[in-house]
Amino acid sequence: MKNASEFTSPPSDYNVIVPDGWFALPLNPEDRDRGIVALADQQFRGVDNAPHIKKQFMREMQRKAKDAYGVGGTELYISTLSVGQLPLASSLLISIPGPDEWPDISDAHELAEHLASKSSAAAEDSQAEEVGVVTLAAAGKAVRQRRKEAPDPTSQLGSTLPNTLVTYYVPIPATKSWLLLNFSTPMDPLADQMVELFDVVAGTLHWD
């Protein structure tokens, strides 16, 4: 496993290790619907009296997958983990924004300053709590941003809890492109514990 600083040409791929129980949902249109059906069947296995909720869940997954694909998403993971009867709802979207969707910035510290300046003018329903530069063990320097976002009950199966979002912006070695790890959870009472898990997952990122 090479560190980011050892690459003199762009890596051919990346890898990240996710927990058992995180479902990999295909984003390409050819496989998307089949993956959503499989995820819904897994999530609602043994639940016979919730067809409306299941359909609503599938519609939300369809929207989430389409949106992810539209912003350069390469992988989308949905947590199916639970503690007792409590589902540990969370997701991870990995994406590579196109050059037209990204500021002309290649330095982590410069990007952190850019994001911090944007967050200071952000709306009250989406305020950045933390923006800073961190070093991932193999992937190198990255910008880590943690923020909260107001809930959207229409797309969260009625949840009125705010979303906690953690995004890692990681420069791809020997390129001007960035890899984004976008973590999200509506589990506000457990937000700090979920963020600890997100940080561990981000720390496994490495280039091939």
Side-chain angles (χ1 to χ4, degrees), residues 73-122:
T74 59
E75 296 182 88
L76 176 61
Y77 294 93
I78 305 295
S79 171
T80 64
L81 298 173
S82 61
V83 175
Q85 298 298 313
L86 178 66
L88 298 179
S90 60
S91 64
L92 164 61
L93 168 63
I94 304 177
S95 61
I96 302 177
D100 295 337
E101 304 166 354
W102 195 249
D104 186 18
I105 297 174
S106 58
D107 178 77
H109 291 279
E110 186 179 349
L111 179 62
E113 292 178 4
H114 173 76
L115 294 173
S117 65
K118 285 184 62 178
S119 68
S120 64

Side-chain angles (χ1 to χ4, degrees), residues 18-23 39 42-43 57 77-91 185-187 190 193-194 197-198 201:
V18 301
D20 291 338
W22 280 24
F23 185 95
L39 174 60
Q42 179 175 324
Q43 288 288 77
F57 173 82
Y77 294 93
I78 305 295
S79 171
T80 64
L81 298 173
S82 61
V83 175
Q85 298 298 313
L86 178 66
L88 298 179
S90 60
S91 64
T185 180
M187 306 294 295
L190 298 176
Q193 292 87 343
M194 298 299 292
L197 175 61
F198 298 161
V201 172

